[in-house]
Amino acid sequence: MTETQQCANQMRSGLFVAPELADFIEQEALPGTGLNAEMFWNGFATTLQDLAPKNRALLAKRANIQSKLDAWYIEHRGKRHDSAAYQTFLAEIGYLVPEGPDFKIQTSNVDPEIANIPGPQLVVPIMNARYALNAANARWGSLYDALYGTDAMGDLPEGKGYDAARGARVIAWAKDFLDSAAPLAEGCWAEVAEITVKDGELRPQLLDDTLFAGSVRNDDGAVSSIYLKHNGLLIQLVLDKTTPVGAQDAAGISDIQLESAMSVIMDCEDSVAAVDAEDKVLAYRNWLGLMKGDLSESVRKGDHVMTRVLNADRQFTAPDGADVTHKGRALMLVRNVGHLMTNPAIHLDDGSEVPEGLMDAMITTLIALHDLQRDGGNSITGSVYVVKPKMHGPEEVAFSDEIFTRVEAALGLPQYTVKLGIMDEERRTSVNLKECIRAAKHRVAFINTGFLDRTGDEIHSSMEAGPMIRKGEMKGAKWIASYEDRNVDIGLACGLKGRAQIGKGMWAIPDQMAQMLADKICHPKAGATCAWVPSPTAATLHATHYHAVDVMARQDELLAAGPRGTLTDLLTIPVADGVNWPEDEIREEVENNAQGILGYVVRWVGQGIGCSKVPDIHDVGLMEDRATCRISAQALANWLHHGVVSEEEVIAAMRKMATKVDAQNEGDALYRPMAPAFDGQEFAAACDLVFKGRVQPSGYTEPVLHARRLALKAELAG
């Protein structure tokens, strides 16, 4: 910490705290929690004093294990791979830990969206209030709008205004969906000319009367909405013949609304660019608004300004006449950062920066107290849901469990109030997943797979083994199939069904909804109770998959069938043995990765945008975050290290692709071009990620991106 920083910061219980963060904590986050500033800062300081050294020790252990892996690969390079000897070596260095007896997790007080209602899950950058509100409100979405406005039916709408012919196709598609999810006792939904409710009975009659959940009537007594319930998810039929769509429909259905994003991860990690106190306060303030229920954001569209707020709960009357209140918002989880990064928002008494994961844990949980102390908020069971990424093995999961035990004690919460999401995205976690779950068996509420981060770590962990296969071939690698299957099977064997989510990864092409509808049904079929989608619209379309597949029944089938995949397959290194790629294939791969890195990094460093739809080399928009950047950077670093491509060739590709990325961003008034000088922090960051990629901790992008973003902010401030 510089002398200038020390003078600017404010002393709190031996901590040097940036004034904007201290003010936020004391003036905004603490009031209403029952805690005063002295209690908070004393508890936080004591927690940091005890846990920061443990955090550093775990990171040192990561580095030590990696050095041993590197040495083993170098020694055995070019030799026939002996999987048994390899596993013995991994056990000797503590990479593989002994697997204990079978057990079941003990997580309690879990909300139904986590425990037993499978459905889509959104991940959204918490620093953008509008996105956060849209995601929370994506609990409900219009199936008609999702079909009409995307390519879900095979083509996009043409022109402006309502196209009745396209509307008819939407209605037909939606009626077919109803025939599948809520079939009638006789006939089909397309033939229905009238919908009524009398004495608690729906007409037309359903094949299964229990699917009728309730109705809503107008002031004049006419039925305005019908609620159906299938596979735990509600479907709302909106009846209004005065609208163009309702007038076009024989039964007067003007819209079909689906329960869509059942949960949403408010992200403080991979999808944001938070490098200092200013950024962290923005993230924490939006989380505070969500937990208090008063977050709002004004949005201008032309001359019209509208204010977005959190949706209210829904009210309807059950068939037996009882009043029903149903959530209008997705269940919100918050993703903290991992164990690696520090942040200059707080300095410890030795002058070092605070471990950012410890800061996130304390402050996001403090903020969640506001939700725990009010009715009708986020959690109806009194729980706080924290997703913890990038943990390496059971010891680091146990450390996260210890962190939240200490946080709970400091904030006066019962132990295990905080539920933990374990992201299975690092190789040492995948190979020890059962023991990772055991290490937090009282907290686990979520596990998932993440192809991109997991592939980035796969490349980095085995960097010295040899050149890796092309990025596009990774999804066909033997380790991937084992990874995806074992994640579900181990989760089910450890008792996650009915207590925790098992998740799958992101659909990264937000403009290709027809392809998503065709492909992403594989996730519920795999036994996953949630899977990530890139938008509220995608959540509504993906929700149809959870009506097509009874995930809870599918999990029973998987449990009965027994485990799939093997540890040997999981540990199969994707080395391209004996491959001599043609020069044009090498150039294509290098340019593809270079363009992806630059397209993402230029916004991250230049504008502080952590996640966005970035055009790829073929101008197809892809959702990019640090995970996508990590795999591209590590793939290039690996080929560079093993001589598949030279430094000069990579630099040439970077410059060529920087020019292309500049052209792709011509319409952005805030964009800072990289060419022709190639001397800005953005271009330098992209190069650092590749040329220094081999020595980055676990191949992570954060150290480079944070350093370059901070440097640019300092330049602009100066």
Side-chain angles (χ1 to χ4, degrees):
M1 178 173 52
T2 66
E3 185 176 345
T4 301
Q5 287 175 319
Q6 185 168 348
C7 292
N9 288 352
Q10 300 176 3
M11 179 70 78
R12 295 290 189 275
S13 300
L15 304 174
F16 297 92
V17 185
E20 56 264 58
L21 179 60
D23 289 347
F24 168 77
I25 294 292
E26 294 168 10
Q27 297 174 20
E28 299 180 50
L30 278 171
T33 64
L35 299 171
N36 61 42
E38 183 179 9
M39 294 165 60
F40 173 81
W41 291 115
N42 284 345
F44 193 10
T46 301
T47 301
L48 290 173
Q49 182 180 14
D50 294 342
L51 297 187
K54 291 185 178 182
N55 200 131
R56 288 191 286 267
L58 287 170
L59 296 178
K61 183 172 182 177
R62 283 188 196 177
N64 180 260
I65 286 177
Q66 185 61 55
S67 67
K68 292 176 179 178
L69 284 172
D70 290 343
W72 194 90
Y73 291 132
I74 291 170
E75 180 184 352
H76 292 81
R77 193 182 295 162
K79 300 177 183 177
R80 181 179 175 275
H81 181 68
D82 185 334
S83 61
Y86 181 52
Q87 291 184 38
T88 298
F89 161 72
L90 294 179
E92 288 173 352
I93 66 173
Y95 191 96
L96 271 175
V97 303
E99 192 168 279
D102 292 344
F103 72 100
K104 304 294 183 185
I105 65 169
Q106 302 299 311
T107 316
S108 59
N109 299 325
V110 180
D111 284 87
E113 296 93 337
I114 296 287
N116 49 38
I117 309 180
Q121 187 170 68
L122 282 167
V123 183
V124 64
I126 190 63
M127 290 173 68
N128 188 308
R130 179 164 62 91
Y131 291 174
L133 286 165
N134 287 347
N137 290 337
R139 175 68 171 255
W140 290 91
S142 167
L143 179 60
Y144 279 7
D145 288 350
L147 293 169
Y148 190 96
T150 71
D151 74 339
M153 299 187 299
D155 53 38
L156 289 168
E158 296 181 1
K160 296 181 179 180
Y162 179 64
D163 178 353
R166 186 173 181 84
R169 291 171 59 199
V170 168
I171 291 170
W173 197 106
K175 295 292 181 69
D176 286 344
F177 163 74
L178 288 178
D179 287 336
S180 175
L184 300 176
E186 295 182 6
C188 60
W189 279 97
E191 299 168 346
V192 174
E194 185 179 24
I195 298 175
T196 63
V197 176
K198 185 176 181 180
D199 297 328
E201 294 185 355
L202 174 67
R203 291 292 180 270
Q205 185 179 2
L206 298 169
L207 183 63
D208 179 358
D209 288 336
T210 64
L211 295 180
F212 176 44
S215 60
V216 178
R217 293 183 183 272
N218 290 329
D219 292 339
D220 60 6
V223 176
S224 60
S225 285
I226 297 295
Y227 283 91
L228 309 172
K229 190 171 187 178
H230 178 246
N231 287 352
L233 299 170
L234 286 179
I235 303 168
Q236 181 196 21
L237 310 185
V238 182
L239 308 179
D240 188 352
K241 289 191 175 184
T242 68
T243 66
V245 178
Q248 187 177 349
D249 184 73
I253 299 175
S254 62
D255 197 6
I256 296 177
Q257 296 257 328
L258 303 185
E259 270 199 293
S260 301
M262 298 305 295
S263 56
V264 55
I265 297 175
M266 298 297 174
D267 190 21
C268 297
E269 196 234 4
D270 261 2
S271 68
V272 303
V275 300
D276 54 20
E278 176 188 28
D279 296 335
K280 296 301 289 188
V281 167
L282 177 57
Y284 295 148
R285 182 173 286 126
N286 287 342
W287 178 238
L288 177 63
L290 293 168
M291 291 295 94
K292 293 175 72 173
D294 61 5
L295 183 65
S296 65
E297 181 80 353
S298 295
V299 180
R300 177 178 291 277
K301 289 192 174 182
D303 295 332
H304 179 63
V305 177
M306 59 182 181
T307 300
R308 284 196 170 95
V309 297
L310 289 169
N311 285 345
D313 289 336
R314 296 196 168 206
Q315 312 284 337
F316 58 88
T317 302
D320 63 3
D323 293 332
V324 177
T325 299
H326 193 81
K327 268 192 176 179
R329 302 159 307 283
L331 182 75
M332 290 176 272
L333 303 80
V334 61
R335 182 159 66 168
N336 289 183
V337 305
H339 295 320
L340 174 65
M341 294 303 294
T342 62
N343 195 284
I346 301 175
H347 287 82
L348 308 183
D349 57 6
D350 63 0
S352 63
E353 292 182 357
V354 65
E356 191 173 354
L358 297 180
M359 182 169 71
D360 273 0
M362 189 71 175
I363 298 176
T364 59
T365 306
L366 165 70
I367 289 168
L369 290 178
H370 292 277
D371 180 68
L372 299 179
Q373 295 172 3
R374 68 190 182 102
D375 295 329
N378 185 50
S379 173
I380 64 173
T381 62
S383 291
V384 178
Y385 299 95
V386 176
V387 177
K388 190 70 177 177
K390 296 180 173 62
M391 295 184 289
H392 292 238
E395 192 176 5
E396 294 195 13
V397 177
F399 179 59
S400 291
D401 179 70
E402 181 182 6
I403 290 171
F404 287 105
T405 294
R406 291 295 299 271
V407 166
E408 288 160 342
L411 299 178
L413 288 170
Q415 190 177 17
Y416 307 130
T417 295
V418 177
K419 307 304 187 285
L420 193 64
I422 300 174
M423 296 193 67
D424 179 8
E425 57 187 356
E426 306 299 322
R427 194 169 183 259
R428 190 150 58 103
T429 292
S430 297
V431 299
N432 299 298
L433 183 59
K434 180 177 179 180
E435 296 313 301
C436 288
I437 295 172
R438 190 195 307 273
K441 66 180 181 180
H442 294 284
R443 293 192 191 276
V444 177
F446 167 88
I447 63 171
N448 78 331
T449 53
F451 164 74
L452 291 165
D453 261 313
R454 181 62 180 78
T455 302
D457 194 51
E458 185 74 24
I459 297 171
H460 188 85
S461 295
S462 304
M463 179 69 70
E464 294 291 353
M468 297 293 167
I469 60 178
R470 295 180 65 172
K471 188 171 69 173
E473 298 170 357
M474 278 291 181
K475 286 190 176 181
K478 186 179 289 187
W479 71 267
I480 278 282
S482 180
Y483 165 61
E484 294 287 354
D485 288 344
R486 280 168 53 91
N487 179 273
V488 175
D489 292 345
I490 291 171
L492 292 175
C494 293
L496 268 67
K497 183 185 178 186
R499 288 182 181 266
Q501 290 178 319
I502 298 177
K504 293 294 182 183
M506 178 68 77
W507 178 261
I509 319 173
D511 295 331
Q512 295 185 10
M513 291 294 96
Q515 195 63 45
M516 188 196 76
L517 280 173
D519 293 354
K520 202 169 174 65
I521 196 169
C522 69
H523 286 156
K525 284 182 175 179
T529 52
C530 65
W532 289 0
V533 286
S535 67
T537 296
T540 298
L541 294 170
H542 184 41
T544 63
H545 292 146
Y546 295 88
H547 290 281
V549 179
D550 183 343
V551 177
M552 306 307 273
R554 177 61 180 147
Q555 289 187 342
D556 287 337
E557 294 172 357
L558 292 170
L559 273 169
R564 302 161 294 166
T566 65
L567 181 61
T568 298
D569 285 347
L570 184 63
L571 289 168
T572 301
I573 304 165
V575 174
D577 289 322
V579 174
N580 290 311
W581 290 283
E583 287 187 11
D584 60 333
E585 287 190 16
I586 294 174
R587 182 172 59 254
E588 177 188 48
E589 185 75 3
V590 171
E591 290 184 355
N592 190 317
N593 283 310
Q595 190 275 341
I597 295 167
L598 287 159
Y600 176 68
V601 168
V602 71
R603 295 180 181 178
W604 206 105
V605 174
Q607 299 180 33
I609 298 174
C611 179
S612 60
K613 186 169 70 173
V614 177
D616 71 1
I617 199 167
H618 304 295
D619 297 316
V620 175
L622 302 177
M623 291 301 295
E624 300 275 358
D625 66 6
R626 284 202 300 255
T628 56
C629 188
R630 182 185 184 190
I631 181 176
S632 297
Q634 286 300 296
L636 280 184
N638 173 263
W639 276 20
L640 185 65
H641 182 55
H642 291 284
V644 177
V645 64
S646 70
E647 183 172 335
E648 292 75 19
E649 288 170 321
V650 173
I651 282 287
M654 284 287 193
R655 292 187 171 185
K656 178 181 177 181
M657 291 300 106
T659 302
K660 179 176 181 63
V661 170
D662 284 350
Q664 289 174 325
N665 286 274
E666 280 181 339
D668 184 351
L670 300 178
Y671 183 80
R672 292 161 45 94
M674 293 177 282
F678 307 112
D679 59 355
Q681 296 289 349
E682 299 91 335
F683 186 79
C687 291
D688 286 349
L689 287 171
V690 176
F691 296 117
K692 300 178 181 179
R694 189 169 63 89
V695 298
Q696 293 306 303
S698 305
Y700 292 133
T701 62
E702 289 93 314
V704 166
L705 293 176
H706 278 233
R708 290 295 180 178
R709 175 66 180 159
L710 284 166
L712 180 60
K713 290 183 81 169
E715 287 178 13
L716 296 176

